[in-house]
Amino acid sequence: MQSRRRKYLWLILSASWLLLILLAAPRLRQLAIPPSLRPKTLTSWPRWLDQELLLSFVGPEELSKDPCPPSCSTHQWRNQRLGCLMETCFDTSRCQSQGFKVFVYPTGLTQPISKVHHKVLASIEGSRYHTANPEEACLFVLPGDALGPQLLPLWNGGQNHLIFHLHPGSWPDLGFDPGQAMVARASPTPETFRLGFDVSLPLFPQSYPQRGGSQSQLTHLIPTPGEDLLAFEGQLDMWVTGSYNQRDQNAILIPSDRHGETSKGHRDGPCKQDQTTEQSEDQKRLYNSTFCFIPPNCRLGSFHLLQALKAGCIPVVLSRGWELPFSEVIDWGTAAIIIDERHLYQIKSVLQGLPPARVLALRQQTQFLWDAYFSSVEKIVYTTLEIVRDRIFRAASRPRLLWNAPPGGLLALPTFSTHLGDFPFYYLRHGSRPSGRFSALIWVGSLDQPPVKLIQEVAGSQHCAQILVLWSNDSPPPAQGKWPQTTVPLTVIEGRKKKSDRFFPYSAISTDAILSLDAHSALSTSEVNFAFVVWQSFPERIVGFQTRSHFWDETKGSWGYTDQRPNEFSVVLTAAAFYHRYYHNLFTHSLPAPLRDLVDELSACEDILMNFLVAEVTKLPPIKVPQRKQLQEVLSPQHPRAEQQLKNCINRFASWFGRMPLVHSQLRLDPVLFKDQVSVLRKKYRHLERL
């Protein structure tokens, strides 16, 4: 009996040990594998419906990546051989006290400069970083065709200087030794380019627009496939050309010399006679092609790259040594096919093997890069300055995703945040949504009284977190006891009696959403609640009640502005509208001071400028929500805006932006059962329909 018991006990112990070993085996195997060889843990990430469609966009693993790519550290030895690193040739202490300020040398201190350099300097002088005082400057900008910089009083061996050299070539083309100065150069070569110190620029012609520029050619989100597979714009007599379509599956464009033999990558071969940057008839082929061939080691290759991006044609880059424009921050793998020129004959199989979803994502990214960084001289210059700024303030630099996802690094200010979840246009990509509360900012002008009724209605919303009253009246604000009692905090801020004050990033604003109101606005709690729910679904846009529309007046050759198009709009008045607080930072810190001064001077255009700014960022129209008749009757008489003054505003804004960013829409979002012939008890927002 005891022996049988002993036997059962051994069986139970053996089974227990076997089960323990089986359960612990995966952990033991993991401990046995060195950490460097273990598979990476998958990042938790939401699965959106379009995830498979946008495979080429930067994934979540890029969120924590340093703005400087890994190649920066691996090529420091080459920078040391060429003489400079940011740590050795740039004095960052000048930037710590005054911030990032840029001084431009007067043109009288240099030899006459070219037209394109005039555009570069004018763009810098119009930026928020420009200073006329060299004592507070962090960076000094010198035109590339300057003569004898050693004679300049602040040269100091080139330290903290930036030279714009807009002609392709090597060091001798500068005409002098740049010393410790950074060089922003078009089409640099590895022999002369200092990674992490110099900046690679695109080559653009003298006629390139200074501001605005032409918009991308893809007018639809999903473009139609190009008629040709591959096209090349340039001297086609040195290339064997072919088309690719459904009837011709074998044709491919292959470079060759004049004798019909395949080129072996001669540095000056196919591009030797291509000395013009003027538009040719062959460039029209780019708009009908899916891929555009960028010739290898061509000095004008970056110009052809710009043409491809503008046409929505995916660049096919063959180069072992060409530094692509702004490659320090732009992930060109999401917009171009980059193949070593030694793999020339593999182009056909590579392009034919790309899935349609990948091709679509590549074409979409070309349009984003064109609009964000390359469509004008101003954007090229601003991108250069922002790259230098991120190097100096490394701890507050933008992650690579901000550079490579719309709207781009120029419109995602690191002074606001470097975390994606803080920006209105990255909620979906970040897998988050805005908070469920808003701050009401009520502007009280010189002729207005405390808006007691409005405060009570807004405070009645369950989504209201605080009420801020911006007092811009000549008389002092009423005492605390004169304001209505509310269940949410009420703060009075004394403004400077300027309309631009209503878009200042006040530190008292504690929520992502702002409800902008005028003192004479008349809103009910139901209207506020529904508009906020709509804004939560569209946090990057302006959501409001009163709308206006712009139009092109053929008779006068200028833009017009009207409220007589009830079924079409492009502007939502900020007298009653929701938007994200980030736009206060953009309005104050990104727009130039002359534009804000114009708003204060005309005193009727602040909402037009805010709509211009948001449309420029999002490329989308605002959203209209329903309103009661009382709101229309109250708002209209209180806003006597001169028609000519408003037209003057919209034309001056369009001139500064370089194009008309406003987008028309006919969309209005209503609550469920709104105006339906059913019992009012079945409706959530019952008071919206009351007269």
Side-chain angles (χ1 to χ4, degrees):
M1 187 73 178
Q2 291 181 353
S3 61
R4 186 178 299 176
R5 236 182 241 173
R6 224 180 274 115
K7 185 192 246 184
Y8 287 148
L9 181 60
W10 276 109
L11 287 175
I12 293 173
L13 289 176
S14 301
S16 301
W17 277 106
L18 180 60
L19 180 62
L20 180 63
I21 292 174
L22 291 176
L23 292 175
R27 179 60 180 167
L28 294 174
R29 282 198 304 270
Q30 185 178 7
L31 294 175
I33 301 175
S36 60
L37 300 180
R38 294 176 192 169
K40 295 182 180 179
T41 303
L42 295 177
T43 306
S44 177
W45 200 253
R47 297 187 61 84
W48 308 110
L49 295 178
D50 60 352
Q51 185 180 23
E52 297 300 324
L53 184 64
L54 304 177
L55 293 176
S56 68
F57 287 100
V58 183
E61 68 276 2
E62 296 286 344
L63 298 181
S64 59
K65 184 177 288 188
D66 192 274
C68 182
S71 57
C72 292
S73 59
T74 59
H75 287 76
Q76 283 189 352
W77 65 269
R78 193 182 76 191
N79 291 19
Q80 293 172 350
R81 178 174 60 84
L82 293 175
C84 269
L85 296 168
M86 285 295 292
E87 294 79 6
T88 59
C89 293
F90 196 94
D91 181 14
T92 58
S93 63
R94 293 187 62 100
C95 312
Q96 302 305 320
S97 57
Q98 301 291 341
F100 187 64
K101 296 293 184 180
V102 182
F103 174 78
V104 177
Y105 278 100
T107 55
L109 296 178
T110 63
Q111 70 176 5
I113 61 176
S114 62
K115 180 180 178 181
V116 69
H117 276 106
H118 270 296
K119 294 180 180 179
V120 169
L121 300 186
S123 299
I124 298 175
E125 291 171 350
S127 72
R128 64 182 181 275
Y129 294 135
H130 177 255
T131 178
N133 183 9
E135 296 298 325
E136 65 180 21
C138 165
L139 184 68
F140 302 86
V141 173
L142 182 70
D145 43 11
L147 184 63
Q150 295 82 358
L151 303 177
L152 297 175
L154 303 172
W155 178 246
N156 190 26
Q159 190 177 61
N160 286 51
H161 278 68
L162 174 64
I163 301 172
F164 278 90
H165 185 60
L166 305 177
H167 309 289
S170 55
W171 289 108
D173 290 341
L174 284 173
F176 58 88
D177 183 7
Q180 300 182 42
M182 292 180 287
V183 180
R185 177 192 303 273
S187 300
T189 58
E191 293 76 18
T192 59
F193 185 75
R194 296 167 290 182
L195 280 171
F197 191 73
D198 293 336
V199 180
S200 175
L201 299 181
L203 178 65
F204 51 90
Q206 300 279 340
S207 59
Y208 215 64
Q210 178 180 343
R211 184 181 291 126
S214 59
Q215 292 183 308
S216 58
Q217 300 299 315
L218 292 184
T219 57
H220 302 287
L221 179 63
I222 302 179
T224 57
E227 178 183 351
D228 298 331
L229 171 71
L230 191 62
F232 170 69
E233 190 267 328
Q235 292 291 333
L236 294 179
D237 61 333
M238 303 193 69
W239 300 81
V240 177
T241 62
S243 298
Y244 177 92
N245 51 49
Q246 295 180 351
R247 292 174 297 178
D248 184 3
Q249 298 288 330
N250 299 317
I252 193 69
L253 180 139
I254 297 178
S256 65
D257 59 19
R258 291 187 180 276
H259 302 288
E261 298 178 358
T262 302
S263 171
K264 300 301 182 182
H266 298 296
R267 191 168 294 271
D268 293 324
C271 304
K272 189 173 182 179
Q273 296 183 2
D274 191 3
Q275 302 295 334
T276 177
T277 57
E278 298 297 328
Q279 183 177 10
S280 66
E281 290 296 326
D282 298 306
Q283 185 180 344
K284 297 178 181 179
R285 295 184 58 194
L286 305 185
Y287 299 97
N288 294 323
S289 301
T290 304
F291 300 92
C292 292
F293 185 78
I294 309 299
N297 296 321
C298 176
R299 299 203 314 161
L300 302 182
S302 64
F303 173 76
H304 297 306
L305 178 65
L306 286 187
Q307 299 302 311
L309 294 178
K310 179 181 178 181
C313 189
I314 303 171
V316 179
V317 182
L318 267 71
S319 178
R320 285 180 295 174
W322 175 30
E323 192 71 23
L324 293 176
F326 304 137
S327 56
E328 183 174 336
V329 295
I330 292 179
D331 183 2
W332 282 103
T334 63
I337 305 297
I338 303 175
I339 303 177
D340 193 288
E341 60 187 65
R342 292 170 296 183
H343 302 155
L344 180 62
Y345 289 103
Q346 298 180 16
I347 296 178
K348 177 181 177 180
S349 59
V350 168
L351 300 185
Q352 290 178 332
L354 289 176
R358 171 69 171 169
V359 173
L360 170 61
L362 287 168
R363 295 193 73 185
Q364 289 176 330
Q365 192 73 351
T366 62
Q367 302 305 271
F368 156 64
L369 294 179
W370 168 260
D371 283 329
Y373 307 118
F374 298 110
S375 60
S376 66
V377 174
E378 186 178 77
K379 289 184 178 179
I380 293 173
V381 171
Y382 286 1
T383 304
T384 304
L385 295 181
E386 294 295 340
I387 289 175
V388 175
R389 185 202 173 281
D390 276 5
R391 294 175 183 172
I392 299 170
F393 303 98
R394 179 73 64 176
S397 60
R398 304 165 182 83
R400 284 178 66 84
L401 182 56
L402 290 182
W403 285 102
N404 292 278
L410 299 186
L411 295 172
L413 302 182
T415 52
F416 176 76
S417 177
T418 56
H419 185 257
L420 268 71
D422 294 334
F423 293 94
F425 24 82
Y426 291 124
Y427 283 119
L428 182 62
R429 183 177 292 273
H430 188 254
S432 62
R433 60 178 302 165
S435 61
R437 309 295 295 277
F438 69 84
S439 300
L441 182 61
I442 305 176
W443 188 81
V444 180
S446 58
L447 301 178
D448 296 324
Q449 298 297 320
V452 177
K453 177 64 174 176
L454 179 63
I455 291 175
Q456 292 173 339
E457 291 288 345
V458 173
S461 171
Q462 72 269 28
H463 304 295
C464 183
Q466 61 178 160
I467 296 177
L468 306 174
V469 178
L470 182 58
W471 190 265
S472 295
N473 205 315
D474 292 329
S475 60
Q480 187 67 28
K482 299 294 184 180
W483 295 94
Q485 295 294 323
T486 62
T487 57
V488 297
L490 189 148
T491 305
V492 179
I493 303 173
E494 294 195 48
R496 298 171 301 172
K497 304 176 182 62
K498 294 183 177 181
K499 278 297 187 72
S500 60
D501 283 353
R502 69 185 306 163
F503 300 133
F504 186 81
Y506 297 102
S507 58
I509 300 175
S510 61
T511 61
D512 293 336
I514 294 177
L515 173 58
S516 175
L517 295 167
D518 281 356
H520 55 260
S521 300
L523 288 178
S524 68
T525 303
S526 293
E527 289 170 316
V528 172
N529 286 337
F530 178 70
F532 179 69
V533 170
V534 172
W535 177 85
Q536 284 185 300
S537 298
F538 305 93
E540 75 281 9
R541 305 204 214 180
I542 300 178
V543 176
F545 302 88
Q546 284 290 96
T547 60
R548 298 290 186 269
S549 181
H550 75 285
F551 63 94
W552 179 253
D553 192 336
E554 291 286 353
T555 59
K556 297 181 179 180
S558 62
W559 293 104
Y561 185 77
T562 182
D563 60 351
Q564 301 302 316
R565 298 184 177 184
N567 295 326
E568 184 179 71
F569 62 91
S570 57
V571 172
V572 164
L573 302 185
T574 56
F578 279 98
Y579 52 79
H580 197 280
R581 68 185 178 96
Y582 174 63
Y583 293 122
H584 278 204
N585 286 72
L586 270 184
F587 189 95
T588 303
H589 300 304
S590 179
L591 293 178
L595 273 184
R596 299 195 302 273
D597 294 340
L598 178 61
V599 166
D600 297 328
E601 173 189 344
L602 299 178
S603 187
C605 302
E606 72 281 357
D607 44 14
I608 300 178
L609 183 55
M610 176 57 82
N611 277 267
F612 263 73
L613 178 62
V614 176
E616 176 69 17
V617 172
T618 63
K619 308 297 187 295
L620 296 169
I623 295 198
K624 176 179 173 59
V625 289
Q627 61 203 18
R628 298 171 300 159
K629 289 185 178 180
Q630 291 97 322
L631 181 62
Q632 299 176 359
E633 294 169 357
V634 171
L635 280 180
S636 299
Q638 298 293 332
H639 282 263
R641 300 188 171 185
E643 181 180 356
Q644 188 57 42
Q645 187 182 65
L646 293 173
K647 289 182 179 180
N648 184 32
C649 285
I650 200 169
N651 281 283
R652 293 178 70 171
F653 294 159
S655 175
W656 187 90
F657 277 85
R659 60 189 180 192
M660 173 54 70
L662 297 179
V663 182
H664 282 107
S665 176
Q666 296 179 341
L667 173 67
R668 191 184 85 173
L669 296 182
D670 297 342
V672 177
L673 302 180
F674 181 66
K675 296 295 184 182
D676 284 359
Q677 298 300 318
V678 297
S679 172
V680 71
L681 298 178
R682 297 177 57 188
K683 301 181 180 182
K684 183 177 181 180
Y685 303 95
R686 304 169 186 173
H687 300 288
L688 280 177
E689 301 180 32
R690 293 184 179 178
L691 300 179

